[in-house]
Amino acid sequence: MKGLMLNQWYSVNKSFWGYLVLSVVIMGVLLIAQQDMLLTVATFIPIIFMVTPAFEVLKNETMSGWNKFVLALPLKRSQIVRSHFLFFVMLMFVGIIISVGVFVVAEFISEGIWTNAVTNSILNGIGLALILGLVAYPLTYHLGTEKSDMVLMLSVLVAIGSYFLGSFIFNWVFNNYTIAPLQNLDLDFLFSAAFALVSFVLFFLSYVITNQIYRKKEF
């Protein structure tokens, strides 16, 4: 498992550093503007950018022929799939650390940057990134890396659509029903936390489905 993930890291480490620098620069520009909408976008940038190299791994493995060679190694197919999902999660955590770190520094320099909305936006960013992964992995394994660009675009649309659909359902429920234990809570935080949690559960189910797809796949 460790060897698989190291191989993935070496295949995309240049992209990783490029996205890291780019995300920090864009965040810096957006933070200087200090507008609520731009601050919200700034929280998403590193989380979304940092998971992008994880999708490049599958394409690189196909181009180099590693996807066929790895099957000759004494490994279970489930370990190969798991390594891809774990690599994705690790990159997502790096994105979270960058987002939190930059905002902490910005808060130290200019007070009032870190608000409850920033916390909620980071949770929303985590949810969006997980939806990207839970859609992209099973579809890429099923359709092949030749269609990975189309799959990634579809994943983005599904992630954005899921966010707005989830927000609509959440507001509809709270506007039409009284849920006494939740009335005194911050509803924005409650939605963001629920969105991230549901996305994580679906991400795990996606791993199970992807595993089944890969077991039946013939090369």
Side-chain angles (χ1 to χ4, degrees):
M1 182 71 73
K2 183 180 178 181
L4 291 174
M5 297 181 71
L6 278 175
N7 181 66
Q8 293 171 29
W9 161 249
Y10 288 126
S11 71
V12 295
N13 70 86
K14 290 183 179 178
S15 294
F16 171 86
W17 292 115
Y19 279 114
L20 190 151
V21 171
L22 184 61
S23 62
V24 171
V25 170
I26 293 176
M27 282 188 76
V29 173
L30 296 177
L31 284 168
I32 291 173
Q34 291 198 14
Q35 293 184 0
D36 291 341
M37 179 61 72
L38 296 181
L39 290 177
T40 299
V41 174
T43 60
F44 290 176
I45 294 294
I47 300 173
I48 301 301
F49 274 29
M50 296 317 299
V51 299
T52 304
F55 299 130
E56 294 178 11
V57 168
L58 293 175
K59 189 185 293 185
N60 291 346
E61 288 183 350
T62 300
M63 291 175 64
S64 66
W66 171 259
N67 62 326
K68 296 178 181 177
F69 177 77
V70 71
L71 295 174
L73 299 176
L75 294 167
K76 295 181 180 178
R77 290 196 175 199
S78 60
Q79 290 177 298
I80 298 171
V81 174
R82 194 182 312 148
S83 69
H84 287 134
F85 275 74
L86 286 176
F87 189 64
F88 175 92
V89 172
M90 286 179 62
L91 293 185
M92 186 184 71
F93 271 107
V94 172
I96 296 169
I97 291 170
I98 293 171
S99 182
V100 172
V102 171
F103 268 92
V104 168
V105 172
E107 176 69 18
F108 180 76
I109 297 172
S110 176
E111 293 183 1
I113 295 290
W114 190 295
T115 62
N116 291 338
V118 169
T119 303
N120 298 340
S121 294
I122 291 175
L123 288 170
N124 291 334
I126 294 171
L128 289 170
L130 289 171
I131 293 176
L132 286 178
L134 73 89
V135 175
Y137 277 114
L139 284 182
T140 303
Y141 272 103
H142 180 66
L143 299 175
T145 54
E146 298 82 5
K147 298 181 179 178
S148 59
D149 291 337
M150 182 194 73
V151 168
L152 186 56
M153 290 179 61
L154 179 63
S155 303
V156 171
L157 293 175
V158 172
I160 295 173
S162 300
Y163 174 80
F164 285 110
L165 178 62
S167 178
F168 172 79
I169 294 174
F170 184 87
N171 288 326
W172 183 84
V173 169
F174 274 88
N175 287 334
N176 291 279
Y177 297 94
T178 301
I179 305 175
L182 305 179
Q183 291 305 306
N184 295 324
L185 298 179
D186 181 343
L187 294 184
D188 289 336
F189 174 77
L190 190 61
F191 166 74
S192 300
F195 181 64
L197 180 61
V198 171
S199 299
F200 179 78
V201 172
L202 294 176
F203 184 77
F204 179 76
L205 292 176
S206 174
Y207 161 70
V208 175
I209 294 171
T210 305
N211 216 2
Q212 294 300 318
I213 293 172
Y214 192 56
R215 281 183 180 179
K216 298 175 182 177
K217 193 173 183 63
E218 296 181 0
F219 292 89

